Amino acid sequence: MGRVYNFSAGPAVLPEAVLKSAAEEMLDYNGTGMSVMEMSHRSKAYDEIIKTAERDLRELMGIPDNYKVLFLQGGASQQFAMIPMNLMKNKAADFIVTGQWAKKAYQEAARYGKANKIASSEDKTFSYIPDCSDLPISEDADYVYICENNTIYGTKFKELPDTKGKTLVADVSSCFLSEPVDVTKYGIIYGGVQKNIGPAGVVVVIIREDLITEDVLPGTPTMLTYKTHADAESLYNTPPAYGIYICGKVFKWIKEMGGLEAMKAHNEKKAKILYDFLDESRLFKGTVVKEDRSLMNVPFVTGNEELDAKFVKEAKAAGLENLKGHRSVGGMRASIYNAMPIEGVEALVAFMRKFEEANV
Ligand SMILES: *Cc1c(COP(=O)(O)O)cnc(C)c1O
């Protein structure tokens, strides 16, 4: 069987060129006579891999010198605790709750201090992004937290909230490197890489240097202190070495594709094909307010659960995999990350058209 079009929300599709290149280097990386998986993380060869990965990421995102790039473990979910442990000097933070991931971060932070929910879109099943132009930001808040792209619900902040001078912390797991970003607007940008960058097991944290201190909450483990990893350049202990190597290959691939501007154009083109079809379809409809639509995760429904299930099943048989919506919302969801080729989206829409003709 050949490769399918994989619309999984994560772990998700990776560029075929990256997988092929990793396969070629599997037994002998660059004349070392061993796989990257077998190599010491203190070796010269590995040092080159991790340094190059960081350099390429810095170049792609235009990361200023006063930000550190950390390659950590524990997934995005571990950051839900690590952020408050390191940043909550006043023991207070504000949260904009736009989906399950933001909600989990909010609930986790409440274990460490006062977590204030200053806006939410839960009233309408997280189908929109609340107006964040004049929020009741708490005077004592150490930071304001958002989940920038809501993987499950398919919404994205098109404008960052006005934090009234407070540090902005953003989970960008599902929109990492999908478009250009102004890093200076954030205190922390972080994400698990298994959505848009690489294999599960790595989380990238981009953090402004003044937020990296020894002044963390009492009891914070060494491993959960940003300073530990910043001082050791992500090599305090054994890092997720193979995962970082694949991330590095994806960074190179994005550079070859033309960088983040080109990525954005590519993603907009793909998303338009799908959204235009959803807007004209007699059977399928998108579930999200138009202005807040994500370029990465596109949820849609037929309005009939049985028909949804039939669609997912028949799509799978046609080589279009993982279109089932998240268990909390049902329906369908097509995740069309950077590595999803335009042909994949075209094949999906062609299949949806055929399904519509046969079922309306
Ligand atoms: C998938 C996801 C997470 C959880 O990531 P883990 O690495 O599994 O902990 C958190 N936030 C967002 C936005 C996600 O898409």
Side-chain angles (χ1 to χ4, degrees):
M1 191 176 155
R3 281 174 63 76
V4 298
Y5 288 121
N6 179 8
F7 295 94
S8 170
V13 58
L14 285 168
E16 213 166 284
V18 166
L19 297 176
K20 280 187 176 145
S21 153
E24 275 167 23
E25 293 171 348
M26 182 59 77
L27 297 183
D28 175 10
Y29 173 76
N30 201 18
T32 57
M34 62 179 88
S35 162
V36 173
M37 269 183 249
E38 302 169 300
M39 153 183 308
S40 164
H41 58 293
R42 310 275 177 211
S43 65
K44 194 161 168 281
Y46 194 74
D47 193 60
E48 174 82 19
I49 288 172
I50 192 167
K51 292 269 162 55
T52 305
E54 177 175 341
R55 204 178 318 120
D56 285 339
L57 181 63
R58 283 185 175 277
E59 188 183 323
L60 278 171
M61 293 179 73
I63 301 173
D65 288 343
N66 64 325
Y67 285 74
K68 289 277 192 216
V69 174
L70 309 177
F71 296 102
L72 307 178
Q73 308 191 47
S77 299
Q78 184 156 283
Q79 294 305 308
F80 298 169
M82 199 163 169
I83 291 161
M85 283 175 150
N86 284 264
L87 263 54
M88 266 191 178
K89 319 285 181 203
N90 295 324
K91 295 222 173 182
D94 287 351
F95 288 78
I96 300 168
V97 177
T98 52
Q100 296 295 354
W101 296 120
K103 193 173 177 178
K104 282 194 170 162
Y106 160 69
Q107 288 167 338
E108 185 69 13
R111 296 164 59 104
Y112 301 98
K114 195 154 60 75
N116 310 301
K117 192 196 293 182
I118 56 166
S120 166
S121 52
E122 193 161 14
D123 60 333
K124 291 181 183 155
T125 336
F126 299 120
S127 58
Y128 69 102
I129 299 290
D131 177 3
C132 295
S133 57
D134 186 19
L135 294 168
I137 306 285
S138 311
E139 211 143 289
D140 60 346
D142 290 299
Y143 59 93
V144 176
Y145 183 99
I146 63 168
C147 177
E148 194 160 328
N149 184 79
N150 296 282
T151 324
I152 296 172
Y153 300 94
T155 57
K156 158 112 206 286
F157 280 82
K158 300 293 162 81
E159 238 174 274
L160 293 176
D162 181 354
T163 63
K164 303 184 179 171
K166 299 288 185 191
T167 295
L168 179 65
V169 173
D171 174 357
V172 298
S173 294
S174 51
C175 60
F176 228 147
L177 303 181
S178 64
E179 56 185 301
V181 53
D182 180 355
V183 175
T184 64
K185 295 204 165 126
Y186 305 79
I188 294 181
I189 305 179
Y190 80 94
V193 304
Q194 74 273 23
K195 309 289 159 69
N196 211 14
I197 301 183
V202 184
V203 55
V204 176
V205 177
I206 299 158
I207 177 169
R208 213 176 54 221
E209 273 171 357
D210 61 281
L211 300 172
I212 305 171
T213 66
E214 268 156 13
D215 175 24
V216 297
L217 296 188
T220 299
T222 308
M223 276 294 287
L224 297 188
T225 303
Y226 287 124
K227 193 165 189 317
T228 303
H229 300 286
D231 288 351
E233 301 188 311
S234 302
L235 291 168
Y236 170 73
N237 69 328
T238 319
Y242 194 79
I244 294 168
Y245 154 76
I246 299 290
C247 291
K249 284 196 177 296
V250 172
F251 301 153
K252 286 259 187 267
W253 176 79
I254 295 174
K255 279 173 70 176
E256 277 160 27
M257 296 282 288
L260 297 190
E261 284 290 354
M263 225 58 248
K264 181 180 188 211
H266 167 71
N267 288 328
E268 281 175 344
K269 200 166 156 192
K270 285 186 298 181
K272 185 172 185 328
I273 293 170
L274 186 47
Y275 284 124
D276 281 355
F277 174 71
L278 288 173
D279 288 342
E280 66 165 49
S281 171
R282 286 169 300 143
L283 178 62
F284 299 100
K285 57 175 188 300
T287 56
V288 164
V289 170
K290 274 190 191 176
E291 310 83 78
D292 301 328
R293 283 170 164 174
S294 165
L295 289 180
M296 300 278 96
N297 310 99
V298 184
F300 54 95
V301 294
T302 64
N304 173 332
E305 270 179 42
E306 271 167 42
L307 211 49
D308 286 351
K310 184 175 178 221
F311 175 81
V312 171
K313 190 163 166 244
E314 289 182 11
K316 183 175 162 71
L320 307 166
E321 290 241 18
N322 290 316
L323 284 163
K324 196 170 185 299
H326 189 269
R327 58 189 185 277
S328 67
V329 280
M332 280 76 72
R333 170 180 50 173
S335 294
I336 50 175
Y337 295 121
N338 285 352
M340 173 59 65
I342 199 153
E343 292 78 13
V345 180
E346 284 166 352
L348 171 62
V349 168
F351 181 81
M352 289 168 79
R353 257 184 228 290
K354 238 175 57 190
F355 188 87
E356 175 174 312
E357 273 158 30
N359 290 282
V360 174

